[in-house]
Amino acid sequence: MTSTAGVPPVSTNDASGVKPRGRKLTGYWLILPGALWLLIFFVIPFYSLLASSLFDPDGSVLTGYEMTWHFGNYWDAFDQYKGQLWRSLWYAGIATIICLVVGYVLAYAIAFKAGRWKNLMLVLVIAPFFTSFLLRTLSWKLIFADDGWVVGFAQAVHLTDLLNIVGLTTTDDRLLATPFAVIAGLTYNFMPFMVLPLYASLEKVDLRLIEAAGDLYASPARGFFRVTFPLSLPGVVAGTLLTFIPAAGDYVNAQLLGSTNTKMIGNSIQSLFTTQLDYATAGALSVILMVIIVAAVMIYVRTAGTEDLV
Amino acid sequence: MSHLDEAPSPQTPATSGPSRDLRLSQLTKEYASFTAVKSLDLVVPQGQFFALLGPSGCGKTTTLRMVAGLDVPTSGRISLGDTEITYEKPYRRPVNTVFQNYALFPHLSIAENVAFGLRRRGVKDTKQQVADMLELVELTSQAHKKPTQLSGGQQQRVALARALINKPEVLLLDEPLGALDLKLRRGMQLELKRIQTEVGLTFVHVTHDQEEAMTMADTVAVMNQGVIEQMGAPIELYENPRTTFVANFLGQSNLIAGEIEGREGDHVKVRVQGALASVPGDRAHSESGTGWLGIRPEKVLIAEAGEPIDAPGDVITGGYVTDVSFVGVSTQYLVRMPWGQELMVFEQNTGARAMLAVGTKVDISWRPEFAFLLDASQDAKAGIEEE
Amino acid sequence: MAEVDRRTVLKGVGGLAFVGGSGLALKYAFNTDDQKQDPSQLVAKDVSESDKRLIFSNWPEYIDEDDGDYVSTLTQFEKDTGIDVKYTADVNDNNEFFAKVKNQLGSGTSSKRDLFALTDWMAARMIQVGWIQKLDAAKVPNLHANIIDSLAKPEWDPGRDYSAPWQSGLTGIAYNKAKVGEIKSFKELLTRKDLKGRISMLTEMRDTMGFLLMVNGGDPENFTDDEWQDALDLLKKARSDGQVRSFTGNEYVQDLASGNVLACEAWSGDIANAGDENLVWIPPEEGIMIWADNMLVPNLATHQDNAEAWINYYYEPEVAAKLAAYNSYICPVKGAQEAMQDVDPEQVENELIFPTDKTLSETHRFMALDEATMRNYEGDFADVTS
Ligand SMILES: Nc1ncnc2c1ncn2[C@@H]1O[C@H](COP(=O)(O)OP(=O)(O)OP(=O)(O)O)[C@@H](O)[C@H]1O
Ligand SMILES: [Mg+2]
């Protein structure tokens, strides 16, 4: 969104006196492929989305939509779908936190404890990508089936009761079609996006620094929180973003594993775009989601202070 | 001569209670296919400045790591006074390390790095101590920078400050001055020594630099291939090396093959290329068979053939000068002896006599009390550092 | 000084140009056109003779298949005519399919299909915006001769000039009798405690809302906005109570068979086709919704003759009987009941295929909606279901 239009060319040294004209032009030529890419795959779709968010809501696909600067769409969309918006952020947030905790342990084990199994474990982390997203998610439907052994086991150990108390399920006799199932699906599907960046940054942590912390009276736990964890922060930030952003906009998990009470904003946008063909509301809702996510990411990155970590 | 026999004197601070000597016994570290440290026995008296000297890869770092608790010994014991710490967790040992690679925390500022140890031990107000410590290593103005913004020498000083601030019972220094330029290095050496005397800590200082080891340490241990070849006060090591490795690694030595004739009173007689030389009994480390007669180049006297040599001693004649290099305070000669060996001779430029030219026929001589005798089974070239 | 001024000015001008350009682009570059087309202008050259093919999009599990000695109606058609039929089951939901083809048909380009089957209201909508070609009555004599009376004159295509019903069907309730006790009414579906979270409903607004209107005592063929709102509230409540597990398209059968769903709103033929004797379909006490799926030839179809041959073929009573015996949906062809005697005598009296007049009198259609109302209602409904 930022100044793609005003990008200066790679500047040649001003002090060098006479600037050869050709050199200056080379700069422009070099950014051309990038600029074209940006134009085709970002600027145009984004403008299209922005335009549709300002369509006259009385239009329709059959009669045509006209852009009338109808900013009211934003308020209408927000007001109507704030529940789904809030729910999406909430589900994505929980899934991200679970991914972070579980993924950190996993990445830590791979980076420091796996020894010669390291490569195998990394392959296993990305192995789910070898099958399609839809199939993987659908298979959870079988695993969590109401009459399946997972539900039976969860009931036997009173997990279902616990989930019911904390509000992640709505009854104690099933897991499918509950917030729990949706969050579990999100966690499962986006876990590799958490583990890989975490692994990459943990891998870079110099073991000698951890030793030095131990030498300086830090117990393993303190050494972890004072040294290992801060040094892995770039991975934590990258992983949480790569997990949270797609999770917040996801609709497949809610569609396949959830119920009508667990619909996320992605489902609303999808339905508005593809079945209701209400482009105005769909566009406005997409822009709202985007703004919320960009704002959240900016605040988050600021607070995490990753710019200090080189 | 009496000073040679003097035992190294620990500078034990008056305040100390029962002795807290660092004691390594039978310490061994084996890796899968390689023994890095072999059955090492070592006592570092409390409050001593102890230098561990040896060529690269001889096991110095490995030894320090076991003392710090970062590596677990394969066998043997480490104790501090009466407390055994062989298997104690590193963060429970009153031992700190200045790492060879500094190991500064890149995400913390210099001041935070220095305060790290104090903080972990629950000290609330670290400000003053950190400021004092940074003052000591002359880094006050860098306190808020990150380690990557510092030069190598500055980083090394931070590493030093970070360990020193904890006033550990034993401070392990793994070549802490390696990256400093000569001037800074000399300054830091004095500073280190001063701090050590002041706080009375036990320092175990690993270095490549024999001069550094000799000027700073109360005791020097020369390590080679996982074992300590010899340990003692610097002067003792220099004057009376027990192995060819020490003789060559610490300074330079002329080693001449000879037949040991046997003990005669408190001297041992050696036949060297026809001439008979004698070595004091306490400097003879072999008593029969063949041996290496050792003499330091600066202890060798030289004179033109036939000219009188001013101090009586064992004399060998028939050499001629093959190389002369003038180094200001002294002149270094290479003298080819009749049996083909070239001996080094360093002569003070007192001005008493003109420099000898290449090709001059010469006689050489040395005082028997400066000679030493080593077992001939050792390699005469051991410990010579290739440039 | 001058340099600085020039720069500032340039920057200002650039900024203004950027904002202005963006504004213009937003205002004019992305508007969508009216999608109305004139079908008489969009007739493709018919290549049926030279290129003996037919591309047909239909709903899943909606046609008989070869099985051992049994030769399906489709295979028979191919044998008789030499036409190669490319039959794809890619219609899962009327709206979804509409979205799939609207860019082409709306802009007057080819949808790459010769024929597709859509439910009454969607068929009506497409005919209305001119996306559908007129059928040549001379080429589909069987259609006009054999179509059953109840389907012959829909208000949206009174002469069946544009459309030909593939099958007609009833919407009612299905349940898994191995897992749950008898269910008689739609109201039970919405209220029974043992069904909480274990029922599903269809995303077809007209089917689902028709029942909700009837549960409230209304008439789907004639209702007011208030009645609509009450029915919608009822649906919302069922949803927020967690009674409804999901709103689905054709895929509800899997959930019903696997036991995740115990009972659901269902299309009559699907359950008979599922081949699971624990699954039963019943007409709810409140009434039955009736509908038909209609074959339509879109603009710029290149094999209209073949499509018409196909339609004509399926309106032969023997063919229709074979298809109906497999599908268990209402057969739109007169004389098929007699022909069924030869095909499968057991099915002659099957009310699902050949409903009695009494049954037909209990069925309801959904009120015809104008485009604006339809959009509102679709929107209201989608808000609850997605
Ligand atoms: N993890 C290990 N596995 C196998 N061999 C090792 C390992 N660590 C060290 N060694 C070997 O042990 C020997 C001693 O290593 P150490 O690091 O103690 O040497 P050093 O005396 O400190 O050398 P330098 O002066 O170069 O620092 C070396 O030969 C080294 O290759
Ligand atoms: Mg080392």
Side-chain angles (χ1 to χ4, degrees):
Chain A
M1 277 145 292
T2 42
S3 59
T4 46
V7 180
V10 185
S11 80
T12 47
N13 192 354
D14 275 29
S16 68
V18 195
K19 278 184 273 180
R21 197 80 198 151
R23 272 258 221 113
K24 204 178 166 190
L25 278 178
T26 315
Y28 286 104
W29 283 116
L30 285 176
I31 59 168
L32 191 67
L36 265 180
W37 173 275
L38 217 64
L39 184 74
I40 295 171
F41 293 106
F42 180 72
V43 178
I44 294 179
F46 177 70
Y47 270 48
S48 156
L49 191 66
L50 212 56
S52 68
S53 74
L54 298 170
F55 278 164
D56 175 5
D58 291 333
S60 85
V61 169
L62 291 179
T63 57
Y65 274 113
E66 197 190 346
M67 199 283 227
T68 56
W69 303 105
H70 197 281
F71 286 98
N73 288 341
Y74 284 98
W75 174 248
D76 292 344
F78 179 77
D79 195 41
Q80 196 175 351
Y81 292 100
K82 53 183 182 293
Q84 281 92 329
L85 263 174
W86 174 238
R87 187 184 291 141
S88 297
L89 299 178
W90 183 228
Y91 285 2
I94 298 180
T96 306
I97 290 170
I98 301 173
C99 275
L100 180 61
V101 174
V102 177
Y104 205 104
V105 174
L106 190 58
Y108 190 93
I110 298 175
F112 297 129
K113 310 279 175 199
R116 62 204 182 89
W117 302 108
K118 188 183 272 189
N119 286 334
L120 177 72
M121 287 182 74
L122 280 174
V123 170
L124 288 180
V125 167
I126 54 167
F129 287 141
F130 298 147
T131 52
S132 98
F133 185 53
L134 276 177
L135 280 181
R136 273 183 282 144
T137 312
L138 273 174
S139 67
W140 279 97
K141 216 168 163 170
L142 294 180
I143 296 171
F144 283 155
D146 290 11
D147 300 332
W149 65 270
V150 174
V151 172
F153 178 76
Q155 277 172 321
V157 300
H158 296 286
L159 178 67
T160 41
D161 296 330
L162 179 75
L163 289 170
N164 208 0
I165 290 165
V166 299
L168 284 177
T169 58
T170 39
T171 64
D172 56 6
D173 61 354
R174 66 181 153 98
L175 294 174
L176 267 187
T178 63
F180 169 79
V182 179
I183 293 170
L186 290 171
T187 306
Y188 161 74
N189 274 314
F190 294 106
M191 184 66 86
F193 295 103
M194 181 64 90
V195 174
L196 293 180
L198 279 178
Y199 167 77
S201 68
L202 279 170
E203 167 87 315
K204 274 195 294 188
V205 172
D206 190 344
L207 283 176
R208 295 176 299 192
L209 295 179
I210 303 171
E211 286 182 351
D215 188 64
L216 291 163
Y217 312 106
S219 61
R222 279 168 158 226
F224 173 80
F225 285 111
R226 295 289 163 184
V227 179
T228 317
F229 186 74
L231 288 175
S232 68
L233 264 187
V236 172
V237 171
T240 42
L241 292 184
L242 284 177
T243 309
F244 181 80
I245 296 173
D250 182 74
Y251 66 90
V252 173
N253 286 284
Q255 172 92 32
L256 297 179
L257 303 175
S259 76
T260 45
N261 284 331
T262 62
K263 294 282 181 215
M264 295 170 66
I265 196 67
N267 301 93
S268 306
I269 295 176
Q270 193 246 7
S271 148
L272 283 168
F273 259 123
T274 60
T275 58
Q276 299 179 57
L277 304 173
D278 182 351
Y279 291 176
T281 314
L285 208 51
S286 303
V287 174
I288 290 174
L289 179 65
M290 194 154 123
V291 167
I292 290 178
I293 286 180
V294 168
V297 165
M298 267 161 48
I299 293 171
Y300 174 58
V301 171
R302 280 276 160 82
T303 342
T306 37
E307 58 269 18
D308 283 357
L309 296 167
V310 186
Chain B
M1 287 302 294
S2 63
H3 60 274
L4 279 185
D5 307 316
E6 205 176 74
S9 58
Q11 292 160 320
T12 316
T15 50
S16 70
S19 150
R20 300 283 287 171
D21 301 347
L22 173 66
R23 195 177 297 271
L24 314 185
S25 26
Q26 300 291 303
L27 199 64
T28 302
K29 178 72 191 180
E30 288 166 7
Y31 291 113
S33 58
F34 186 81
T35 308
V37 174
K38 292 170 199 152
S39 193
L40 197 82
D41 282 304
L42 192 66
V43 180
V44 183
Q46 183 182 6
Q48 243 203 8
F49 198 119
F50 186 91
L52 199 54
L53 185 63
S56 185
C58 72
K60 306 180 297 283
T61 299
T62 308
T63 308
L64 286 201
R65 286 175 60 84
M66 288 191 284
V67 175
L70 303 175
D71 275 342
V72 180
T74 313
S75 63
R77 282 165 48 92
I78 303 169
S79 48
L80 205 52
D82 300 330
T83 341
E84 182 178 344
I85 57 167
T86 319
Y87 302 107
E88 185 73 285
K89 295 268 180 282
Y91 59 96
R92 296 233 181 78
R93 300 186 188 206
V95 173
N96 284 118
T97 311
V98 179
F99 291 92
Q100 195 166 7
N101 50 50
Y102 327 140
L104 301 180
F105 303 122
H107 58 298
L108 300 179
S109 72
I110 301 310
E112 287 166 334
N113 261 285
V114 174
F116 193 92
L118 292 181
R119 289 256 168 77
R120 298 294 84 73
R121 286 188 302 170
V123 178
K124 285 278 166 318
D125 191 21
T126 57
K127 241 190 188 141
Q128 193 52 45
Q129 292 190 63
V130 169
D132 291 348
M133 197 45 73
L134 287 176
E135 175 92 50
L136 185 70
V137 295
E138 297 174 12
L139 286 172
T140 309
S141 59
Q142 317 287 333
H144 300 294
K145 287 193 179 167
K146 290 282 165 72
T148 45
Q149 297 168 297
L150 263 52
S151 74
Q154 289 171 324
Q155 291 182 26
Q156 220 160 32
R157 276 139 66 198
V158 177
L160 193 60
R162 187 178 69 174
L164 265 180
I165 197 169
N166 302 300
K167 304 212 165 53
E169 284 189 48
V170 178
L171 183 69
L172 307 174
L173 304 108
D174 198 348
E175 309 208 25
L177 307 180
L180 306 190
D181 63 35
L182 197 63
K183 185 165 161 281
L184 205 56
R185 192 177 175 127
R186 293 281 171 259
M188 285 301 292
Q189 283 174 1
L190 290 176
E191 203 55 61
L192 265 183
K193 184 73 190 165
R194 185 184 63 72
I195 293 165
Q196 192 262 338
T197 334
E198 221 166 68
V199 296
L201 303 181
T202 310
F203 274 35
V204 179
H205 181 110
V206 160
T207 178
H208 265 116
D209 179 349
Q210 38 164 307
E211 212 173 298
E212 184 173 297
M214 288 198 282
T215 50
M216 295 171 78
D218 301 312
T219 307
V220 174
V222 177
M223 198 171 175
N224 183 31
Q225 296 185 354
V227 297
I228 297 225
E229 294 257 343
Q230 191 176 356
M231 180 163 84
I235 192 162
E236 185 194 330
L237 249 63
Y238 186 80
E239 295 296 344
N240 187 5
R242 280 166 199 275
T243 65
T244 57
F245 180 85
V246 176
N248 290 323
F249 190 75
L250 226 52
Q252 289 167 300
S253 296
N254 293 307
L255 296 176
I256 310 165
E259 291 296 322
I260 302 172
E261 306 242 301
R263 187 173 276 272
E264 230 170 73
D266 57 356
H267 278 69
V268 175
K269 295 285 178 201
V270 190
R271 184 159 296 281
V272 185
Q273 306 298 334
L276 197 63
S278 69
V279 178
D282 60 341
R283 299 169 66 88
H285 306 298
S286 179
E287 302 240 330
S288 60
T290 55
W292 295 113
L293 179 80
I295 183 80
R296 297 283 185 185
E298 72 277 9
K299 301 291 191 332
V300 182
L301 304 169
I302 187 168
E304 229 170 302
E307 295 287 314
I309 294 176
D310 56 326
D314 296 322
V315 179
I316 302 182
T317 57
Y320 64 93
V321 176
T322 55
D323 187 62
V324 182
S325 41
F326 175 72
V327 279
V329 293
S330 63
T331 304
Q332 307 187 351
Y333 296 102
L334 276 184
V335 178
R336 183 174 299 274
M337 299 313 288
W339 60 92
Q341 188 181 3
E342 279 187 331
L343 299 183
M344 289 175 284
V345 180
F346 298 167
E347 190 182 54
Q348 283 294 307
N349 284 333
T350 57
R353 170 169 49 64
M355 251 167 52
L356 301 170
V358 172
T360 316
K361 294 223 172 331
V362 291
D363 297 336
I364 59 168
S365 165
W366 62 86
R367 298 210 38 94
E369 63 264 36
F370 294 134
F372 50 90
L373 184 59
L374 305 174
D375 191 336
S377 63
Q378 301 173 28
D379 178 8
K381 295 229 166 26
I384 296 178
E385 285 179 291
E386 291 106 42
E387 303 288 290
Chain C
M1 207 37 207
E3 178 69 11
V4 172
D5 276 348
R6 226 181 65 155
R7 280 207 164 183
T8 326
V9 169
L10 274 178
K11 261 194 193 164
V13 170
L16 276 178
F18 176 70
V19 171
S22 299
L24 284 174
L26 288 177
K27 181 89 182 85
Y28 296 110
F30 300 102
N31 293 339
T32 64
D33 295 328
D34 190 334
Q35 312 275 295
K36 259 207 168 61
Q37 301 293 338
D38 179 359
S40 62
Q41 301 296 313
L42 292 166
V43 183
K45 183 173 155 16
D46 198 306
V47 296
S48 292
E49 265 312 306
S50 53
D51 179 26
K52 284 192 157 304
R53 286 193 306 146
L54 171 66
I55 303 166
F56 181 27
S57 284
N58 203 353
W59 298 67
E61 318 214 7
Y62 219 11
I63 193 165
D64 54 329
E65 283 163 14
D66 288 339
D67 184 10
D69 289 339
Y70 178 81
V71 180
S72 70
T73 51
L74 187 148
T75 309
Q76 191 61 48
F77 174 77
E78 288 185 323
K79 268 191 200 153
D80 293 352
T81 60
I83 295 169
D84 177 21
V85 181
K86 192 166 162 259
Y87 181 97
T88 35
D90 61 348
V91 186
N92 211 34
D93 177 296
N94 284 304
N95 278 317
E96 214 178 278
F97 189 79
F98 177 82
K100 218 180 269 186
V101 296
K102 75 155 201 315
N103 283 342
Q104 289 95 42
L105 293 178
S107 62
T109 52
S110 164
S111 68
K112 306 265 189 281
R113 293 173 174 87
D114 301 312
L115 197 64
F116 47 67
L118 295 174
T119 309
D120 299 326
W121 63 274
M122 184 55 85
R125 192 178 184 194
M126 286 200 175
I127 292 169
Q128 206 182 341
V129 293
W131 292 2
I132 304 301
Q133 291 289 317
K134 199 166 179 169
L135 299 173
D136 182 348
K139 291 185 179 150
V140 286
N142 289 343
L143 167 63
H144 295 290
N146 296 343
I147 187 163
I148 57 174
D149 297 339
S150 60
L151 289 173
K153 296 186 187 68
E155 52 187 300
W156 45 271
D157 185 15
R160 285 293 180 189
D161 295 325
Y162 291 91
S163 61
W166 171 253
Q167 299 278 269
S168 174
L170 305 174
T171 312
I173 296 175
Y175 62 92
N176 191 328
K177 74 172 182 225
K179 305 201 182 216
V180 73
E182 194 187 4
I183 297 172
K184 288 189 181 130
S185 68
F186 210 83
K187 194 171 172 124
E188 286 178 60
L189 222 52
L190 297 178
T191 50
R192 252 166 68 171
K193 282 281 160 279
D194 61 332
L195 296 176
K196 185 168 180 213
R198 308 294 289 268
I199 68 159
S200 72
M201 291 197 206
L202 297 167
T203 48
E204 274 306 316
M205 183 261 275
R206 285 158 184 81
D207 285 335
T208 301
M209 290 308 290
F211 282 116
L212 283 146
L213 284 160
M214 290 191 288
V215 169
N216 275 347
D219 177 1
E221 264 153 303
N222 185 11
F223 59 89
T224 64
D225 250 359
D226 285 346
E227 286 177 300
W228 166 263
Q229 279 308 331
D230 290 345
L232 199 66
D233 288 345
L234 189 62
L235 183 65
K236 276 187 191 151
K237 183 167 179 306
R239 180 197 130 152
S240 60
D241 287 350
Q243 184 78 9
V244 186
R245 185 188 188 106
S246 57
F247 289 90
T248 65
N250 231 332
E251 69 272 17
Y252 64 92
V253 186
Q254 286 101 307
D255 265 333
L256 187 64
S258 73
N260 286 337
V261 157
L262 300 177
C264 60
E265 185 187 349
W267 289 309
S268 53
D270 277 356
I271 304 304
N273 286 344
D276 182 338
E277 60 187 27
N278 285 324
L279 308 186
V280 289
W281 185 90
I282 56 132
E285 282 171 359
E286 289 91 347
I288 316 167
M289 294 303 293
I290 189 168
W291 46 266
D293 289 329
N294 305 274
M295 292 181 277
L296 307 163
V297 177
N299 288 349
L300 294 177
T302 48
H303 305 95
Q304 180 159 355
D305 283 355
N306 292 346
E308 285 160 349
W310 169 274
I311 292 170
N312 204 41
Y313 170 74
Y314 274 95
Y315 271 83
E316 286 168 15
E318 297 74 28
V319 178
K322 260 175 99 175
L323 177 64
Y326 169 85
N327 261 346
S328 308
Y329 277 112
I330 297 173
C331 181
V333 181
K334 269 188 226 164
Q337 194 158 16
E338 292 75 53
M340 188 62 97
Q341 200 67 50
D342 297 334
V343 176
D344 185 352
E346 277 177 34
Q347 305 277 18
V348 176
E349 296 305 320
N350 186 341
E351 280 222 22
L352 290 181
I353 301 176
F354 306 110
T356 59
D357 290 344
K358 182 180 161 291
T359 308
L360 285 177
S361 72
E362 285 166 19
T363 61
H364 302 264
R365 289 167 198 280
F366 201 82
M367 186 163 92
L369 304 172
D370 61 68
E371 187 72 19
T373 318
M374 180 165 88
R375 256 170 49 81
N376 283 342
Y377 284 2
E378 288 277 1
D380 286 350
F381 181 69
D383 287 344
V384 185
T385 58
S386 58

